[in-house]
Amino acid sequence: MKLRVIGWADYDDDLPEGDNGWAARNAIIDEIRAHGYEFSGWHHQEGAAATPVLNDGRKYCYSRRGWGDVMAEAHGLMGPMDYARYAFAFGEDRSKCPKRTPFCPEAETDLAETYEREVSEEDLARAEEGGIAFSEYEYLRYLYTGDTLVLTSHGSRTAYRVKGAHREHNREKEPAFLLIVSLEKL
């Protein structure tokens, strides 16, 4: 999905809410990194202009711990309890919080994208059954419901509509994360 943050609203502003999926989370993380934002889940819920609004016209609201997890990942903290650093109020430095800026929350349309990946014959067979997992997901950070995923293997090309995508932690071994994608053949 071609998602990006277009502004910051209050948690209680009258805007439709997004579903906090994988692609939206990554768009928010990229915005936090780009501007050096650093504020708590408490501020996300209770402060001014601390709830991201994406170009799909939706605000993205998280629990305090959920926002703490987003903020921790944005700052490279990926441990199981790292979210706690950002979940609750810790005396925010207002210079590290977003500023209220005028924005138009009207939804953009045609946000779907097409991604192409070379896969093994085994992975192609799994995709035919409705799903596939990727251990390398940097290229697929914005892959989400409604996108098209074209899989190629030994000269064949098959297009699938993405029905869903989420990341699963795998703390037991490398890679630490897997991107799990459910598919339907086009």
Side-chain angles (χ1 to χ4, degrees):
M1 285 288 145
K2 299 177 215 167
L3 293 174
R4 60 186 168 71
V5 175
I6 60 168
W8 295 83
D10 293 348
Y11 194 87
D12 295 327
D13 280 353
D14 189 23
L15 292 169
E17 287 189 35
D19 66 2
N20 295 344
W22 170 255
R25 178 185 173 101
N26 282 323
I28 294 164
I29 286 171
D30 289 349
E31 182 76 1
I32 291 168
R33 288 175 177 164
H35 297 282
Y37 296 141
E38 192 169 14
F39 57 94
S40 69
W42 180 90
H43 186 78
H44 166 68
Q45 289 184 342
E46 306 295 336
T51 301
V53 178
L54 274 58
N55 58 329
D56 63 357
R58 300 179 179 283
K59 67 180 180 177
Y60 286 80
C61 299
Y62 293 83
S63 68
R64 290 178 186 182
R65 286 176 178 87
W67 182 258
D69 189 54
V70 169
M71 190 63 70
E73 183 174 343
H75 291 282
L77 303 171
M78 302 295 288
M81 294 298 294
D82 286 341
Y83 76 89
R85 176 177 177 168
Y86 294 101
F88 307 102
F90 58 83
E92 270 85 21
D93 175 352
R94 294 295 297 153
S95 70
K96 294 183 177 182
C97 297
K99 306 289 187 265
R100 183 176 301 282
T101 54
F103 64 92
C104 178
E106 290 186 27
E108 291 180 18
T109 57
D110 193 26
L111 295 175
E113 293 186 88
T114 298
Y115 296 84
E116 188 167 325
R117 295 291 293 189
E118 177 76 25
V119 297
S120 67
E121 288 182 21
E122 294 81 19
D123 282 340
L124 191 57
R126 284 187 202 94
E128 288 292 319
E129 295 173 8
I132 191 168
F134 294 100
S135 59
E136 300 170 21
Y137 58 85
E138 190 61 31
Y139 169 71
L140 301 171
R141 289 182 74 233
Y142 287 95
L143 181 75
Y144 202 57
T145 305
D147 284 338
T148 299
L149 180 61
V150 178
L151 300 178
T152 60
S153 181
H154 295 78
S156 70
R157 292 173 47 91
T158 309
Y160 299 88
R161 170 121 20 254
V162 175
K163 292 175 28 182
H166 68 278
R167 183 178 70 184
E168 288 185 5
H169 292 271
N170 183 4
R171 298 192 196 284
E172 308 299 313
K173 57 184 176 179
E174 288 296 322
F177 299 105
L178 294 174
L179 179 62
I180 310 299
V181 183
S182 57
L183 303 165
E184 77 181 346
K185 195 170 183 177
L186 290 175

